[in-house]
Amino acid sequence: MPIRPSKRSRKARLAHVLNHGHLVLSPAARRLIREGFDTVADALSPTLGPTARTVLIEAPNRTEPPLFTDDAATVARQIIELPLLRNTGGMLMRHVVWRSFDQVGDGAATTAVLAQALLREATRLIASGANPPLLRRGIDAALVEALEALDRLAVPVDTLEAIRRIALGAGHDQAIADKIAEIHERYGWDIVICIQEWLANELAVEVVDGAKWEGGYAASEFITEPERRLAWSVKPVILVTNVFLDKAEQVVPIMEQVANAGHKELVFFSPKISDTALATMLVNNERGILHSVGILPPGIGAHKLGVLEDLAAQTGARLFEADAGDKPAFATLDDLGYADLIWASRDFFSVIGGDGLEEDVQERVAVVKAAIESEEAPYDRALLRKRLGYLTGGVATLSVGAATKSEMIERKVRAERAVKAVESGRRDGVVAGGGVALIAAGQAVSPGCPETAFDEHLGRVALIRALEEPLRVIAKNSGAEPGPVLHAVRNGRGKVAFDAVHGTFVDPIEAGILDPINVVRTAVRNGVSAAVMALLTEALIIPRYRYLHGNPKP
């Protein structure tokens, strides 16, 4: 008798179903992706503009109050899965929206609106017979011209009123905007603002010495505040070195000394921390013996050593230098620095209340200033200016309170968004807000040379129309008719903006309707990227279980 194959277990059959997918070809594939795009974008577009609507988010624990928010990034982050076959397009939109927020702290709704409008225009053109690769070529060429036009429109942020307007436009909270402007007025333009929750129904400010540096934790396992993805260390001792920590033997001796001395926190600053050294720190963290955090400081080329010297001066630590033959394993407690607080994210960290001597810090300031005067390369001069800001800056903690917990959480998100927008505007400048700069950038896009293919020309037109969509949505959210508003702003050539709050037309610069140039550029670039990826999709592979339960009709 022939040998029958053994029956697969139920677990194996289930794995087979989950690990295999169903193939859907265009135009059905492109239609499904667009449906997911539209679903997420329709949920985010009401949050765009100064008259933004709110979204109600149910708490994971149904006994807790729901969250009201007008922050598009928060809404997108809560969308984990879309029903049936729209999930792929929806998750693509969610990813690009969150990417914009993660990069610049704002622009999530603008990204979604731009991506949705561009995909809608391109899909219509493809249905009429246009060639997708040629459309993309036209879109890419127009994107370069639009971004160059935005750069030409940027103006520096040099007044407190501009800071107030940027904060108000990003956070939609007058009290928070006034407080952020007040902090800059009292403590200088180099101040770094951190946000925290507060039980009282008001705002409060506390300022300490410190600076916010580019860099970040060496591993996500150091995170102690998962909601904000931050690693905190309170009153730590600090080891600063440019030696690569790639062995447990390099960190164990100093960890033992610190623990025996009764200290609870230890922070390592090193350009590279290997898995072996990380594992040693994390094991001690889990056992509660000594809480350690590994941080990778910033610096490129010759600036790496200078940054570590700046950190050592700020914290009162001795720099263990590889070229001098120093070995961290031989460090003593006298070689360590101290600080009141250190926090680190993936991209930044801050040293607050460093124990360094003032004369040592001022000596480093003098060294950096002299280097700026003698440096001829623009890129290196920019890095030196950043180091000078790190050394001379301070940190203000803005405590945000409200009547209820839900309102406090929502207001804290507004404050964080406003602070990030102000930082971005101070660093790179601002452009006319309310969609005005986007329309002006679209007007700067040329139709192409006579040799340009017709479909490529259509791609340019599609991007120009997509750049007008944010203004249409802002007008719609304010209750105005988008057509006349668009016509007036388009004819104003960057000098006329629609004040959605009062329903009037004003000069955007004089009225303070401003957007950080970095936010606008990021929203345009990411929105176009997402739409182009969906535009060129000719096939979609859907997990079989989703396909069977979705009952599609491609």
Side-chain angles (χ1 to χ4, degrees):
M1 294 180 61
I3 300 176
R4 296 183 178 179
S6 60
K7 293 183 178 179
R8 290 183 298 179
S9 66
R10 182 177 181 275
K11 183 177 181 180
R13 292 197 305 272
L14 179 60
H16 176 77
V17 170
L18 295 179
N19 294 331
H20 291 75
H22 183 86
L23 177 64
V24 180
L25 300 177
S26 285
R30 195 177 292 115
R31 173 175 58 80
L32 293 175
I33 292 177
R34 182 183 167 186
E35 289 177 0
F37 252 56
D38 290 343
T39 301
V40 175
D42 289 344
L44 303 185
S45 60
T47 67
L48 181 62
T51 55
R53 318 296 173 87
T54 59
V55 176
L56 182 62
I57 302 174
E58 182 181 2
N61 184 352
R62 297 185 179 182
T63 61
E64 296 182 358
L67 172 64
F68 288 88
T69 182
D70 64 353
D71 178 46
T74 301
V75 177
R77 193 174 187 180
Q78 296 295 323
I79 302 174
I80 299 176
E81 185 178 23
L82 296 184
L84 305 181
L85 305 179
R86 292 171 289 174
N87 189 64
T88 304
M91 292 303 101
L92 175 59
M93 174 67 85
R94 176 185 186 271
H95 168 75
V96 74
V97 164
W98 183 254
R99 183 179 178 185
S100 292
F101 179 80
D102 196 35
Q103 290 174 340
V104 293
D106 200 4
T110 304
T111 302
V113 169
L114 278 169
Q116 182 188 29
L118 182 56
L119 182 59
R120 181 177 61 243
E121 290 293 329
T123 301
R124 181 179 59 83
L125 294 172
I126 292 174
S128 301
N131 183 283
L134 290 180
L135 281 177
R136 177 184 181 175
R137 188 184 304 172
I139 292 171
D140 290 342
L143 175 62
V144 173
E145 295 181 11
L147 294 178
E148 290 175 350
L150 284 174
D151 290 337
R152 293 193 296 268
L153 295 171
V155 296
V157 177
D158 52 7
T159 65
L160 290 173
E161 183 60 27
I163 287 180
R164 180 180 288 104
R165 290 290 185 173
I166 294 172
L168 180 60
H172 304 157
D173 190 307
Q174 186 66 57
I176 290 176
D178 292 341
K179 188 64 69 173
I180 291 174
E182 177 187 333
I183 291 172
H184 284 85
E185 182 180 19
R186 294 182 60 185
Y187 302 106
W189 291 66
D190 294 325
I191 194 73
V192 175
I193 303 177
C194 299
I195 308 297
Q196 70 177 14
E197 298 177 358
W198 199 27
L199 296 178
N201 187 15
E202 57 183 344
L203 302 174
V205 177
E206 180 183 2
V207 177
V208 296
D209 293 332
K212 182 179 179 181
W213 303 68
E214 293 181 358
Y217 45 66
S220 59
E221 287 79 6
F222 288 121
I223 292 175
T224 55
E225 187 180 352
E227 295 82 6
R228 299 171 62 191
R229 298 192 65 77
L230 295 180
W232 294 86
S233 184
V234 181
K235 295 190 179 301
V237 292
I238 302 161
L239 175 69
V240 182
T241 180
N242 71 340
V243 177
F244 291 176
L245 302 180
D246 52 9
K247 298 178 181 178
E249 292 78 6
Q250 293 175 293
V251 298
V252 168
I254 191 61
M255 293 177 71
E256 291 178 345
Q257 292 185 57
V258 170
N260 292 336
H263 297 289
K264 301 296 183 182
E265 302 279 339
L266 174 60
V267 173
F268 291 91
F269 285 105
S270 171
K272 183 179 180 180
I273 304 177
S274 71
D275 293 341
T276 304
L278 285 174
T280 303
M281 302 177 196
L282 295 173
V283 167
N284 283 273
N285 289 356
E286 293 177 358
R287 295 178 179 176
I289 300 174
L290 176 69
H291 181 254
S292 301
V293 178
I295 298 179
L296 307 178
I300 299 175
H303 294 278
K304 287 185 177 180
L305 182 61
V307 167
L308 290 171
E309 290 173 342
D310 297 345
L311 279 170
Q314 278 191 328
T315 60
R318 172 197 167 192
L319 173 61
F320 280 77
E321 190 176 347
D323 292 342
D326 295 333
K327 296 182 178 180
F330 296 153
T332 65
L333 293 176
D334 293 335
D335 298 321
L336 304 182
Y338 298 88
D340 292 334
L341 176 67
I342 292 179
W343 63 262
S345 66
R346 187 187 65 178
D347 302 312
F348 297 98
F349 68 89
S350 183
V351 178
I352 300 173
D355 200 38
L357 298 176
E358 181 63 25
E359 52 265 31
D360 292 339
V361 175
Q362 292 305 317
E363 181 180 346
R364 292 303 306 163
V365 170
V367 169
V368 174
K369 285 184 176 179
I372 291 176
E373 294 178 358
S374 61
E375 183 59 60
E376 296 181 358
Y379 180 75
D380 288 330
R381 285 175 63 88
L383 291 177
L384 288 168
R385 288 194 187 96
K386 283 186 177 181
R387 285 176 51 192
L388 183 62
Y390 296 152
L391 285 167
T392 59
V395 175
T397 302
L398 176 59
S399 300
V400 178
T404 65
K405 182 178 179 180
S406 297
E407 184 183 357
M408 178 178 63
I409 295 173
E410 191 267 344
R411 202 178 190 196
K412 179 186 173 186
V413 171
R414 288 173 180 260
E416 290 174 342
R417 200 166 67 225
V419 167
K420 288 182 179 180
V422 168
E423 289 179 353
S424 180
R426 285 199 341 246
R427 182 174 61 249
D428 302 312
V430 294
V431 293
V436 175
L438 293 175
I439 292 178
Q443 291 174 326
V445 174
S446 65
C449 59
E451 293 78 16
T452 301
F454 181 68
D455 288 353
E456 186 175 340
H457 168 73
L458 292 178
R460 290 171 173 266
V461 174
L463 180 60
I464 293 173
R465 291 178 177 174
L467 291 174
E468 297 173 348
E469 189 66 16
L471 178 59
R472 292 193 185 97
V473 174
I474 291 173
K476 179 182 177 182
N477 289 342
S478 68
E481 184 64 31
V485 171
L486 178 61
H487 177 75
V489 173
R490 189 188 289 154
N491 291 339
R493 295 285 175 176
K495 302 298 183 181
V496 174
F498 176 63
D499 186 344
V501 176
H502 302 97
T504 59
F505 293 97
V506 296
D507 183 295
I509 303 300
E510 293 181 358
I513 302 177
L514 306 171
D515 285 333
I517 176 64
N518 201 23
V519 172
V520 179
R521 283 179 56 90
T522 300
V524 173
R525 191 165 49 240
N526 290 344
V528 171
S529 175
V532 167
M533 283 190 290
L535 168 68
L536 296 179
T537 299
E538 294 294 335
L540 179 63
I541 299 177
I542 303 173
R544 182 176 297 178
Y545 72 94
R546 184 183 298 279
Y547 178 81
L548 295 175
H549 287 84
N551 190 25
K553 297 178 181 179

